[in-house]
Amino acid sequence: MQDPTNRSDRDAGHIEVKNTTCYMCACRCGIRVTLRDGEVRYIQGNPQHPLNHGVICAKGASGIMKQYSPARLTKPLRRKPDSERGSSEFEEISWDEAFSILEKRLAKLRAEDPKKFALFTGRDQMQALTGMFAKQFGTPNYGAHGGLCSVNMAAGLIYTMGGSFWEFGGPDLERAKLFVMFGTAEDHHSNPMKIELSKFKRNGGRFISINPVRTGYSAIADKWIPIKPGTDAALLLALIHELIKQGLYDRDFLVRYTNSPELVNIDTNSTEEGMFVRFEVPPEEGCFDPQNKLWWDRELNKPISTHTEGVDPYILGEFKLEDGTPVKTAFQLLKERVDEYTPDWAAEITGIPADAIRRLAYEMGITARDHKIELPIPWTDCWDKEHESVTGNPIAFHAMRGLAAHSNGFHTIRALGILMSLLGTIDSPGGYRHRPPFPRPIPPCAKPPKGPEAVQPGQPLDGMPLGWPADPEDLFVDEEGKPVRLDKAFSWEYPLSVHGLMHNAITNAWRGDPYPIDTLMIFMANMAWNSSMNTTQVRQMLTDKDKKGEYKIPFIVVADAYQSEMVAFADLVLPDTTYLERHDVMSMLDRPISEYDGPVDSVRIPILSPKGECKPFQEVLIELGSRLQLPVFVNEDGSRKYKDYPDFVTNFQATSGIGFLAGWRGKDGKKFMRGEPNPRQWEMYAQNNSVYHYKLPKSYQYMRNWNKGYLYWARHHGLIRYAEPILIHIYSEVLQKFRLAAQGKSDGRQPPDHLRDRVETYFDPLPFYYEPLESQLVDTKLYPLNALTQRPMAMYHSWDSQNAWLRQIHTYNHLFVNPKLGIANGFKDGDWVWVESHLSRVRCICSFSEAVEPGTVWTWNAIGKAAGAWGLSPKANESQQGFLLNHLISEELPSHQHGEHLSNSDPVTGQAAWYDLRVRVYKASADDPAQTSPQFDAMKPLPGMEHNKKKWQAYVAGLFRPK
């Protein structure tokens, strides 16, 4: 640190160092912010933080430029009377006026029809609060960014093994010997992943990357296997085929910890076809996996209760019960499913040679079988068997959006979970490991509302805005099977849409399908440019009017810290703070930063005062909740319950004693996870690097799906409701229940006739490969290329690509193509080209790269900007040379037998299928301008924005210190 007594030093002055949590991406590293005379001078990693151990990336270090961005919004704004949306004509108003407008409008909606208010949030980290606000208001129309991002990853693995990658779990690279990564861009768990990968490589680990593009992490892989986008399921199923064929699966693991040996009714005439055979049915299923199924005992040659001591069941086979019912083991059904998925079959689809697939399967199987790890950690399983040690098969996997953002992504990720299970790598040393609060039951207990009766004027929503359906009775539909939510989540169109369909909120609201809304509130989501699927169409929808001349979406509220493209379309703008100006929580109720060894949560504590009249969105919700008399936010007499957001975090707690923060609970701060409020809780976080880390006993740190000690601990601390084993669902009975409904074989809710075939097809209890829906419905001979967009390591969503320091790394983006494509189509490296889909086209600059699969083109996401947006010059590179593939992505699929306006999404979860884009590329004409297309009218600066850029630019160069 510089000597503050050295007055010749230009940085001399009052020096302070404060700790908080980064928000330059979703990694949430611990940071130390150095201030001089109250101004941020630089940002470093916090070496005492358990997540990043002092490591910081370009994004984190550049947070100073986010703080001093000329795009900062500093005042509440109202669209000027008689001005048009999108014109950026605003006038300043006070917060009192803004709250008065919102209170009057929202109070009327809540009293008359709460569902006419919709709240959708982007890449925020406060979904426990925003979801609570929506529930208390009574609207079903709430969702977050997950449906656009990686809901298939969450749902596909949680419905399979009770946990997933990202915040929920990850690869144990400390002990792994082989690491296989699928479709992961550089932004996910960036610093911890880089730390662990470097150690893994130094320790002699072998790293295989399977990805259409070789960038970021993949650049240091020992082997890069290029794969055609959207075909990963074919590869995974072929690998499963080979492991079963060669006998390279962990039979003991499958028998004890999965439903592989459980007996499935295969009587095609039975209403129980495809269901497990039970010896009794407990009163509640769907929130835990009751141990009421049957195995077929090898010695007695008859069915017997699962996990009976001393029983060795068949894992393969077909049998008959005493009543003549034919049954097969779940694993037998899996084997039969993958019999046709040979490496030769997969080679034609994936572009990976069949021999390479065989070698990969063999390497996986041998690593798992012959290189076992044993740790001297005793533990007890759920069936009271004592284990003297924990053993692991040291092959680890990681995957994210590359597998998720396809319309076949759910079954792809189910296949990945099953592959990992066959290798015996779940929550064990060297494999996949859970992070608390996972594992959860399959499916987790939270359920969405059951029907329109859950939405009542003046009342909270009867159910959770987002949940985990266990069967058709958990869908949020009316008596005719029509959706109740604006985005059609939890409907027969997208039954397991556990994060909602944010990407269809504007489209459906514009069309009035399933009904029109009145007020749309958007927080931290640039849906007019980068967060929606198709930019041009969404911008038109936001300004479209009905026959009376009224906007089809009557009132739009945008809360953001910056002048994003979305702000131009707002009727009311609420200026948010930056992460250095507010209190925030990374809560166990939401998206914590837990480690494998135990729960971790963290906070943000303000480093600076809010700029101008900025107000944290959390404070906005607390204020609105109090004004609207939402039950959680007021006392019984209607008086305000919480002074502000920090007070809310401190004093809110559920009846179980669980609050937003797990650390230093109780009046004396000596309790954890649950306990009465501690008035000094924020202070105690501040004294401890803004983070709380509870380390589980070592005997609780592994095999947590079946670890009796851990499960009882988790139940006691409110992480789960039942201390029951969480068997891995090789075969998914949850999916089969939906299929039986579609087949008309079950009582209760039935899908509409036009969706029966769709539900029956895609709710297969075993994973299967199908071509992405867009490829099935467009002319792939005319559009032969796959087009991908991924986030650069140096930027995170559109908010970072206006950062002065990060702009020096990427000021515009290219379309990266394999040289073979350019040679075949007559264009050269650096040429301007057109990229065309069945919907539209964009003009951009191409760059040749050998690090891309020949049938794929790709670019960095979120760099392209509308002219004048984000405080940039209308002639800035981002708007003149930068571009978005979003202009080419269709909001909805072409009309087909299942409907006219079905979302271009996964039919199981509603995951936006923006990686399914098919295009053709050809050279631009010499007469075309050297400028990206399409272009739009330049955005105007907004009231309250800083316009004196000369001094600001001097400050960036280190030549000027603002006063």
Side-chain angles (χ1 to χ4, degrees):
M1 182 182 296
Q2 292 152 339
D3 182 2
T5 64
N6 182 3
R7 305 306 298 179
S8 64
D9 191 322
R10 87 173 176 198
D11 283 335
H14 177 63
I15 304 294
E16 298 176 275
V17 179
K18 297 183 179 181
N19 294 334
T20 188
T21 303
C22 190
Y23 201 174
M24 293 298 286
C25 76
C27 201
R28 295 158 293 175
C29 296
I31 54 173
R32 288 181 172 174
V33 182
T34 298
L35 300 99
R36 188 210 50 213
D37 295 337
E39 298 164 356
V40 179
R41 302 310 294 153
Y42 52 88
I43 298 173
Q44 299 169 294
N46 184 347
Q48 296 179 349
H49 196 279
L51 185 70
N52 60 310
H53 305 286
V55 172
I56 195 168
C57 67
K59 297 188 294 291
S62 299
I64 183 173
M65 290 296 102
K66 193 167 187 175
Q67 183 64 31
Y68 298 118
S69 166
R72 287 291 303 273
L73 301 172
T74 63
K75 297 178 182 294
L77 304 173
R78 174 172 55 197
R79 183 166 55 86
K80 289 182 177 179
D82 302 322
S83 68
E84 295 294 319
R85 274 191 197 155
S87 65
S88 295
E89 296 287 347
F90 291 97
E91 59 186 10
E92 298 177 20
I93 61 173
S94 68
W95 272 106
D96 283 342
E97 288 179 278
F99 280 125
S100 179
I101 292 168
L102 286 170
E103 180 183 357
K104 181 178 179 180
R105 194 171 196 105
L106 295 184
K108 184 175 186 295
L109 294 180
R110 186 167 189 262
E112 296 176 356
D113 190 354
K115 69 178 181 293
K116 289 197 172 183
F117 169 62
L119 170 61
F120 286 88
T121 74
R123 195 52 178 97
D124 71 285
Q125 293 163 13
M126 60 185 78
Q127 292 167 27
L129 174 61
T130 52
M132 178 185 293
F133 182 89
K135 176 180 171 65
Q136 291 291 306
F137 187 90
T139 180
N141 294 320
Y142 166 78
H145 87 292
L148 193 74
C149 179
S150 294
V151 68
N152 271 336
M153 181 56 65
L157 286 184
I158 290 172
Y159 273 95
T160 300
M161 61 186 199
S164 180
F165 291 115
W166 193 208
E167 288 101 335
F168 316 138
D172 180 12
L173 295 184
E174 181 181 353
R175 297 178 179 86
K177 291 181 169 53
L178 176 63
F179 177 46
V180 183
M181 178 183 279
F182 289 85
T184 304
E186 291 83 346
D187 57 305
H188 279 110
H189 221 51
S190 173
N191 287 334
M193 179 60 71
K194 286 180 281 190
I195 294 168
E196 293 305 313
L197 262 179
S198 65
K199 293 179 182 177
F200 174 78
K201 292 278 289 182
R202 289 190 187 101
N203 291 335
R206 178 166 161 77
F207 175 21
I208 297 174
S209 173
I210 301 171
N211 199 316
V213 178
R214 187 171 195 174
T215 62
Y217 305 134
S218 300
I220 64 168
D222 297 286
K223 186 174 182 59
W224 171 49
I225 301 177
I227 187 172
K228 294 178 182 177
T231 68
D232 300 87
L235 171 62
L236 289 163
L237 291 165
L239 292 170
I240 293 171
H241 168 101
E242 280 298 295
L243 290 176
I244 294 175
K245 178 181 176 181
Q246 297 179 31
L248 290 174
Y249 55 87
D250 190 330
R251 182 185 184 279
D252 292 342
F253 183 92
L254 292 173
V255 167
R256 193 156 191 88
Y257 303 125
T258 81
N259 64 16
S260 293
E262 293 178 4
L263 302 178
V264 179
N265 184 334
I266 60 167
D267 182 359
T268 56
N269 297 317
S270 171
T271 58
E272 291 291 308
E273 182 193 5
M275 300 292 286
F276 289 114
V277 178
R278 289 164 165 75
F279 57 81
E280 65 177 1
V281 180
E284 181 177 2
E285 293 194 40
C287 194
F288 68 96
D289 197 9
Q291 300 299 291
N292 59 353
K293 320 295 193 316
L294 294 174
W295 288 346
W296 198 276
D297 182 69
R298 298 169 69 91
E299 183 176 343
L300 300 177
N301 195 31
K302 69 175 186 178
I304 196 164
S305 176
T306 64
H307 293 91
T308 299
E309 186 63 29
V311 169
D312 181 21
Y314 283 100
I315 195 171
L316 290 167
E318 180 175 355
F319 314 94
K320 276 194 177 182
L321 302 181
E322 286 186 359
D323 63 3
T325 302
V327 294
K328 290 182 180 180
T329 66
F331 194 72
Q332 176 68 36
L333 293 172
L334 174 67
K335 177 186 178 301
E336 292 172 6
R337 168 57 52 85
V338 299
D339 277 348
E340 62 179 318
Y341 292 141
T342 66
D344 295 285
W345 165 85
E348 292 295 318
I349 295 170
T350 64
I352 302 171
D355 285 345
I357 296 173
R358 293 186 184 96
R359 286 194 300 271
L360 180 59
Y362 183 78
E363 183 175 3
M364 289 177 175
I366 292 298
T367 301
R369 188 190 70 185
D370 296 348
H371 298 274
K372 291 185 182 295
I373 295 172
E374 185 171 5
L375 302 180
I377 301 173
W379 66 286
T380 304
D381 68 26
C382 287
W383 304 279
D384 293 319
K385 181 176 180 179
E386 302 285 345
H387 300 261
E388 294 182 358
S389 61
V390 175
T391 59
N393 302 337
I395 171 171
F397 293 83
H398 190 55
M400 275 305 296
R401 193 179 302 113
L403 266 62
H406 295 283
S407 54
N408 60 9
F410 178 82
H411 279 286
T412 299
I413 290 158
R414 278 266 295 141
L416 174 61
I418 290 171
L419 174 67
M420 292 160 58
S421 301
L422 261 64
L423 293 166
T425 65
I426 307 302
D427 208 34
S428 59
Y432 167 90
R433 292 185 67 189
H434 291 298
R435 295 187 176 101
F438 290 86
R440 289 275 173 82
I442 304 174
C445 294
K447 297 292 183 284
K450 307 294 186 183
E453 65 280 359
V455 184
Q456 296 294 331
Q459 298 296 319
L461 188 69
D462 184 13
M464 301 298 293
L466 300 175
W468 300 83
D471 57 49
E473 301 309 308
D474 290 331
L475 293 182
F476 199 3
V477 294
D478 64 18
E479 290 184 358
E480 297 179 357
K482 295 179 180 178
V484 179
R485 285 176 54 112
L486 171 68
D487 60 1
K488 303 186 181 181
F490 307 113
S491 73
W492 287 105
E493 292 181 12
Y494 327 100
L496 305 186
S497 43
V498 298
H499 287 176
L501 282 81
M502 179 180 179
H503 43 289
N504 279 97
I506 289 175
T507 306
N508 293 354
W510 164 78
R511 186 178 288 120
D513 176 19
Y515 47 79
I517 64 167
D518 176 89
T519 298
L520 174 63
M521 181 180 282
I522 300 292
F523 171 53
M524 203 195 297
N526 194 15
M527 295 179 75
W529 194 256
N530 184 55
S531 294
S532 65
M533 292 178 70
N534 182 267
T535 301
T536 307
Q537 288 183 344
V538 165
R539 291 165 67 93
Q540 292 169 351
M541 293 173 189
L542 293 172
T543 57
D544 198 17
K545 297 180 179 180
D546 60 21
K547 293 179 181 179
K548 296 180 181 179
E550 303 292 333
Y551 286 113
K552 289 188 174 181
I553 305 176
F555 196 70
I556 298 174
V557 184
V558 173
D560 208 316
Y562 304 99
Q563 181 219 19
S564 72
E565 287 86 351
M566 185 71 203
V567 169
F569 298 88
D571 299 296
L572 183 66
V573 179
L574 309 178
D576 190 26
T577 54
T578 69
Y579 69 103
L580 297 180
E581 299 171 345
R582 67 168 174 243
H583 290 88
D584 221 342
V585 296
M586 278 50 71
S587 171
M588 291 294 292
L589 301 181
D590 192 357
R591 308 189 71 157
I593 56 169
S594 293
E595 295 290 320
Y596 300 140
D597 63 9
V600 184
D601 63 10
S602 60
V603 301
R604 294 191 181 95
I605 297 176
I607 302 297
L608 301 165
S609 298
K611 185 171 185 175
E613 296 177 35
C614 293
K615 191 180 290 291
F617 189 62
Q618 300 97 318
E619 298 283 0
V620 172
L621 293 183
I622 300 296
E623 178 69 25
L624 281 175
S626 303
R627 289 180 178 231
L628 295 170
Q629 298 281 287
L630 304 186
V632 158
F633 301 102
V634 294
N635 297 305
E636 290 185 6
D637 63 0
S639 61
R640 186 182 184 117
K641 193 171 186 178
Y642 304 107
K643 180 179 69 174
D644 52 22
Y645 178 66
D647 184 45
F648 169 78
V649 169
T650 298
N651 290 295
F652 170 82
Q653 62 175 357
T655 55
S656 60
I658 295 172
F660 273 76
L661 289 173
W664 298 287
R665 300 196 65 81
K667 293 181 180 179
D668 57 3
K670 293 182 179 179
K671 297 181 180 180
F672 69 96
M673 298 295 289
R674 61 195 304 171
E676 61 271 22
N678 170 16
R680 295 184 57 241
Q681 192 176 33
W682 283 100
E683 179 184 342
M684 297 180 86
Y685 269 87
Q687 293 170 352
N688 289 275
N689 291 298
S690 299
V691 64
Y692 173 78
H693 184 186
Y694 175 81
K695 290 190 177 181
L696 290 162
K698 286 193 174 181
S699 60
Y700 293 3
Q701 291 182 17
Y702 295 93
M703 308 300 283
R704 279 165 282 195
N705 291 55
W706 322 277
N707 187 316
K708 184 176 181 179
Y710 171 78
L711 290 170
Y712 275 87
W713 179 92
R715 183 179 68 177
H716 175 74
H717 290 95
L719 301 185
I720 55 177
R721 194 179 298 174
Y722 302 100
E724 297 286 337
I726 304 169
L727 292 181
I728 295 169
H729 286 202
I730 300 294
Y731 182 95
S732 175
E733 204 177 52
V734 171
L735 298 179
Q736 180 64 13
K737 290 176 183 178
F738 285 90
R739 174 178 263 193
L740 287 175
Q743 293 170 339
K745 288 187 174 183
S746 63
D747 297 330
R749 286 177 163 170
Q750 305 282 308
D753 288 343
H754 72 285
L755 293 174
R756 284 188 182 275
D757 177 62
R758 175 180 164 103
V759 174
E760 181 179 6
T761 298
Y762 298 115
F763 277 74
D764 194 304
L766 290 166
F768 68 106
Y769 172 75
Y770 58 94
E771 193 175 12
L773 300 184
E774 179 170 329
S775 296
Q776 295 181 34
L777 297 171
V778 303
D779 186 347
T780 55
K781 291 183 179 179
L782 182 59
Y783 304 106
L785 303 172
N786 297 285
L788 303 177
T789 176
Q790 72 179 52
R791 198 171 297 131
M793 188 175 283
M795 293 180 178
Y796 191 72
H797 294 287
S798 54
W799 67 46
D800 279 349
S801 51
Q802 49 96 16
N803 183 296
W805 287 357
L806 298 177
R807 288 185 69 214
Q808 297 177 56
I809 301 173
H810 302 286
T811 56
Y812 60 94
N813 52 319
H814 290 181
L815 183 76
F816 295 102
V817 305
N818 193 288
K820 295 177 182 177
L821 178 67
I823 294 169
N825 288 273
F827 57 82
K828 301 186 297 296
D829 184 31
D831 279 353
W832 283 88
V833 296
W834 286 102
V835 190
E836 181 182 304
S837 73
H838 76 281
L839 182 71
S840 185
R841 65 176 187 166
V842 298
R843 186 170 60 240
C844 59
I845 302 171
C846 77
S847 282
F848 286 0
S849 171
E850 297 281 356
V852 57
E853 188 270 327
T856 302
V857 299
W858 72 279
T859 191
W860 298 123
N861 188 34
I863 293 174
K865 295 279 181 280
W870 298 89
L872 300 175
S873 161
K875 297 298 183 183
N877 290 345
E878 285 83 353
S879 64
Q880 301 305 298
Q881 294 169 282
F883 71 100
L884 289 181
L885 284 179
N886 295 64
H887 295 293
L888 308 181
I889 300 172
S890 177
E891 287 287 306
E892 297 171 333
L893 293 167
S895 297
H896 59 293
Q897 73 270 24
H898 295 143
E900 187 179 358
H901 296 298
L902 284 173
S903 174
N904 183 11
S905 299
D906 189 295
V908 179
T909 66
Q911 159 84 56
W914 49 309
Y915 277 16
D916 286 350
L917 180 62
R918 300 297 297 241
V919 301
R920 65 188 183 112
V921 179
Y922 50 92
K923 187 175 180 178
S925 166
D927 297 331
D928 290 332
Q931 178 191 49
T932 189
S933 175
Q935 288 285 319
F936 301 90
D937 292 340
M939 289 180 62
K940 302 174 184 176
L942 304 183
M945 291 176 59
E946 292 181 346
H947 306 308
N948 189 349
K949 294 186 178 180
K950 290 183 179 179
K951 287 186 176 180
W952 179 80
Q953 289 168 342
Y955 173 64
V956 173
L959 305 175
F960 167 72
R961 182 161 67 96
K963 300 297 184 184

